[in-house]
Amino acid sequence: MTSPLPAATAPMSAEEHARLAAQLKSRRVARQRVQNVLAYAVLIVIALIMLYPFYWTLITSFEPTGNIYEAKILPKGVSLRNYAEVFSGTTVPFWRLILNSLVICVLGVTITTTLATLAAYPLAKMRFPGRDLIFYAILILMVLPNEAGLIVNYITTIKLGLLQQTNPVIDAVRQYMAVVLPGAASIIGLFLLRQAYLGVPQELIEAARIDGARELTIWRRIMLPLALPTIVAFAILEFVAYWNSFLWARIMLPDKNMLPLSAGLLELSSTFSTNSRAVMAGAVITIIPILIVFLMGQKYFMKGLEGAVKG
Amino acid sequence: MTSTQRRVSRRAQHKLGGTGAKVTARNTLIAYAFMLPFLILLVVYHTWPVIFGTYLAFTKYNIISPPQWVGLANFRELLADEQFWSGLTNSLKYILVVPVIQVIAILVALLVNRPLKGIGFFRTAYYVPVVTSFAVVGLIWNWMYQQGGPVTAVLGFLGLPQNGSFLNNPATALYAVMFVTLWKGIGYYMVLYLAGLQGISPELEEAATIDGATRTQVFWNITLPGLRPTILVCSLMSTISAIKVFEEIYVMTQGGPAGSTYSALFYTYSRAFVDFQYGLAAAAGIIIAVISILFGLINFKLTRGGKVDA
């Protein structure tokens, strides 16, 4: 090998040098621009694949008549008839389903978040015999597959008497609890919150303890505010989970009037064989709250998910 | 303070970098009081199903009369049951989704990791199917797949055969459901891979580029190895959920047509909640669990334990 440099080129003047640099730069910029255009094209195609099914359902739900399953960009006519039909056209009590879903979500999110924020505190910030044992036992439960869960939890719920019929109000409360309780001890939630609490400086807690604060006060006044982003992320995750759950409720609740919206929607589609557009209207109504919550808490939500993997 | 307590506390400190007030009986009581409601529900709804479910697998049980010990009879019955085998076969076929969804999710994550204007909109859009219930998603795709519907229109546009009634055709139904799983899951794995990508140091990629590595070389030698821990987690999760596929089938095909989408967990569900054979269903559950663990281990091997260094 001789010299790695290109052989005998004439030395460049400063002017030539600058021109070459500018040329290279503009070529790079041009290439970058082409790449960006390509990237946007691909991004848009994927977005269409992801969103068109929702959009199509939305516009079809507004159409009064016509070929229902046709692919289209715009609705052929707009009317609210199908939406009216959902609420009045079948034996499925739609208002009641909405109410059920709201109650189940509020109960579920409140209980699940409270239990996890409480239980994670000693695991992160206190010292007591059995702490490691409990923590590792919980982690093992997280990875252990639990196929019998559905079956045994069904049996447990019946044995606990949550489906007994005595008085309409108490029955309703018990049935809501039957839907909420199996998911209320969230291992992922405990894990996320423990991680968040570990980030709270120990000095802060020690200082409060020296000042004579009780543990419950420390939890409420120091831990909860400082872990708030994680708590919000977790609460949103739980809201989505409770709002979307349908299988457990359908197995558990013999009374149609007690079903949450997602489960009731399936009921609607099996009884509403003549008017799929009304079921589409029902689907749109079911999605809207989740979209609102998701868009509002989107930043927290994504972070919460990332935290769950990185741990 | 007694010596036992001191030993416990020192061990606790060693293992979890423990901190906090001294170990006293009172503090221990407070700690357990904080955890009590959680632990009760954990035992009732998470631990007990594992224990009682395993026991049930060896019994005949219909809730009304007490469980009757039958030894391995349930397992023998399952192995002789053609329906169980076809369910298991369909569940294993479903694993086909895993490599496809992982590759697409990684590519999409790379795409949305670029610092482009409005990229947040695309990330959010891709996540919308993830936050929507299978009840809704299943219904929407049932409509989309109708003869003459949007799916047919797209296939026609691409010049492909326009057999729209995929869900009514035993040869295609399983793949049509798989596509919905894929469509719904991409956004979820995309976010996880995005988190993984952001954990890779940009200096490493820059240094390689300065050293003259092409983009493809950077991807294969730096980005992909850096993603290995995430790939392990994601492929593990998606393999296990493929074996346990249920909700999309429940909403879209109910196991049909002609049993072509009947999955292993759908079998378990029918035995329990249609036939009330809880023991048999629990036994099927155990077989599915064992298979999931097995595939988990295979995954672990294939991704070399998710270690970053090759």
Side-chain angles (χ1 to χ4, degrees):
Chain A
M1 276 285 273
T2 48
S3 160
L5 291 165
T9 41
M12 267 192 276
S13 72
E15 200 180 304
E16 273 175 322
H17 207 282
R19 208 178 49 221
L20 189 64
Q23 230 169 38
L24 282 173
K25 196 181 165 202
S26 74
R27 205 179 301 162
R28 204 172 55 226
V29 168
R31 201 174 46 203
Q32 188 78 46
R33 206 169 285 154
V34 171
Q35 276 177 357
N36 283 353
V37 169
L38 271 176
Y40 276 119
V42 179
L43 284 168
I44 289 168
V45 169
I46 302 174
L48 281 176
I49 296 171
M50 293 300 180
L51 295 181
Y52 182 73
F54 292 103
Y55 174 72
W56 177 78
T57 308
L58 179 75
I59 57 175
T60 310
S61 73
F62 281 112
E63 284 180 343
T65 52
N67 180 0
I68 182 164
Y69 299 121
E70 206 182 350
K72 53 197 157 265
I73 312 281
L74 290 169
K76 296 185 175 69
V78 174
S79 111
L80 289 174
R81 206 176 69 191
N82 303 311
Y83 284 83
E85 194 96 326
V86 175
F87 287 96
S88 58
T90 53
T91 49
V92 180
F94 214 72
W95 280 116
R96 185 60 198 268
L97 300 184
I98 294 174
L99 178 77
N100 291 338
S101 269
L102 287 175
V103 173
I104 287 169
C105 275
V106 169
L107 268 179
V109 172
T110 313
I111 296 177
T112 310
T113 317
T114 311
L115 293 191
T117 48
L118 274 172
Y121 175 56
L123 288 175
K125 289 294 178 192
M126 288 175 79
R127 250 201 256 163
F128 58 91
R131 182 177 70 170
D132 298 4
L133 193 74
I134 289 177
F135 185 65
Y136 291 126
I138 288 171
L139 286 190
I140 288 171
L141 271 182
M142 182 155 75
V143 292
L144 215 64
N146 182 13
E147 266 42 75
L150 214 57
I151 297 164
V152 178
N153 286 346
Y154 175 72
I155 296 167
T156 307
T157 309
I158 288 177
K159 300 269 167 184
L160 286 175
L162 289 171
L163 296 187
Q164 268 167 23
Q165 311 265 319
T166 45
N167 147 324
V169 179
I170 299 174
D171 289 352
V173 174
R174 274 203 298 240
Q175 290 189 41
Y176 287 134
M177 292 314 275
V179 177
V180 166
L181 284 181
S186 162
I187 301 175
I188 297 270
L190 184 82
F191 194 73
L192 279 176
L193 282 154
R194 181 179 166 273
Q195 295 297 107
Y197 287 166
L198 285 176
V200 174
Q202 191 65 28
E203 296 78 32
L204 219 57
I205 294 163
E206 291 310 329
R209 277 186 188 138
I210 289 163
D211 288 345
R214 297 188 321 165
E215 296 295 334
L216 203 62
T217 316
I218 297 175
W219 171 75
R220 197 165 50 84
R221 305 283 292 275
I222 300 174
M223 305 309 278
L224 289 191
L226 289 178
L228 197 62
T230 311
I231 295 173
V232 173
F234 176 57
I236 294 168
L237 277 169
E238 286 299 310
F239 180 87
V240 172
Y242 277 110
W243 187 270
N244 284 340
S245 73
F246 66 94
L247 186 66
W248 175 247
R250 260 174 89 87
I251 291 173
M252 222 47 258
L253 303 175
D255 182 359
K256 256 199 315 224
N257 287 314
M258 295 302 294
L259 288 176
L261 210 45
S262 272
L265 194 64
L266 293 178
E267 193 74 24
L268 201 65
S269 84
S270 54
T271 60
F272 230 149
S273 51
T274 51
N275 190 355
S276 289
R277 280 204 178 85
V279 185
M280 290 180 179
V284 171
I285 296 170
T286 309
I287 301 172
I288 286 170
I290 229 49
L291 280 187
I292 293 172
V293 169
F294 168 59
L295 290 176
M296 279 188 334
Q298 199 223 115
K299 273 188 187 143
Y300 287 120
F301 194 83
M302 300 261 176
K303 240 179 234 150
L305 253 177
E306 288 170 15
V309 216
K310 281 171 157 180
Chain B
M1 199 194 255
T2 68
S3 70
T4 341
Q5 276 169 334
R6 211 174 303 132
R7 207 181 63 225
V8 167
S9 72
R10 208 178 298 133
R11 200 177 56 203
Q13 203 156 20
H14 174 71
K15 275 198 181 164
L16 294 166
T19 43
K22 279 178 191 152
V23 177
T24 62
R26 193 171 163 274
N27 272 338
T28 306
L29 211 65
I30 294 174
Y32 279 95
F34 267 92
M35 297 184 299
L36 195 65
F38 188 95
L39 290 180
I40 291 173
L41 287 179
L42 189 79
V43 169
V44 172
Y45 288 109
H46 294 261
T47 318
W48 178 241
V50 177
I51 300 166
F52 192 57
T54 310
Y55 165 69
L56 276 187
F58 299 94
T59 67
K60 284 251 173 293
Y61 186 47
N62 57 8
I63 291 202
I64 300 157
S65 40
Q68 230 186 326
W69 186 266
V70 293
L72 291 172
N74 287 331
F75 292 93
R76 250 177 260 131
E77 195 179 333
L78 285 176
L79 296 184
D81 189 346
E82 241 170 74
Q83 220 180 2
F84 179 69
W85 281 108
S86 92
L88 212 54
T89 315
N90 283 333
S91 285
L92 293 178
K93 271 191 206 161
Y94 222 86
I95 296 179
L96 273 176
V97 164
V98 178
V100 181
I101 203 171
Q102 297 311 315
V103 169
I104 296 179
I106 291 174
L107 292 178
V108 173
L110 284 171
L111 194 63
V112 297
N113 197 31
R114 296 168 73 102
L116 293 171
K117 247 181 231 156
I119 202 73
F121 163 79
F122 292 102
R123 288 181 188 172
T124 309
Y126 302 170
Y127 207 76
V128 172
V130 180
V131 290
T132 316
S133 163
F134 262 120
V136 173
V137 159
L139 283 177
I140 291 183
W141 279 95
N142 268 5
W143 298 319
M144 298 272 299
Y145 275 130
Q146 294 284 336
Q147 185 71 56
V151 174
T152 323
V154 170
L155 289 179
F157 179 75
L158 296 174
L160 294 164
Q162 301 175 39
N163 178 10
S165 51
F166 295 102
L167 290 173
N168 302 326
N169 181 349
T172 53
L174 190 69
Y175 301 98
V177 180
M178 275 185 197
F179 178 78
V180 177
T181 306
L182 180 76
W183 174 83
K184 191 179 190 297
I186 284 173
Y188 181 71
Y189 294 108
M190 171 202 79
V191 170
L192 300 186
Y193 282 117
L194 207 54
L197 283 175
Q198 272 149 21
I200 298 169
S201 98
E203 288 92 32
L204 216 58
E205 292 179 347
E206 258 166 52
T209 315
I210 289 166
D211 287 348
T214 63
R215 240 181 226 213
T216 339
Q217 282 172 329
V218 171
F219 175 76
W220 288 105
N221 297 312
I222 292 169
T223 317
L224 207 57
L227 276 183
R228 200 169 286 147
T230 323
I231 295 174
L232 171 68
V233 172
C234 291
S235 61
L236 204 64
M237 288 193 315
S238 81
T239 309
I240 289 174
S241 52
I243 295 171
K244 295 179 187 173
V245 59
F246 179 77
E247 293 191 317
E248 43 271 67
I249 285 167
Y250 179 86
V251 180
M252 296 181 71
T253 60
Q254 292 279 321
S260 59
T261 60
Y262 203 87
S263 75
L265 211 57
F266 201 83
Y267 178 91
T268 307
Y269 168 85
S270 329
R271 288 290 93 61
F273 298 106
V274 181
D275 308 338
F276 309 111
Q277 293 179 289
Y278 295 100
L280 194 66
I286 288 190
I287 294 181
I288 301 169
V290 169
I291 293 175
S292 312
I293 293 174
L294 225 63
F295 272 91
L297 291 175
I298 293 174
N299 244 305
F300 203 75
K301 274 266 179 254
L302 284 181
T303 49
R304 296 174 223 174
K307 284 202 196 74
V308 178
D309 47 57

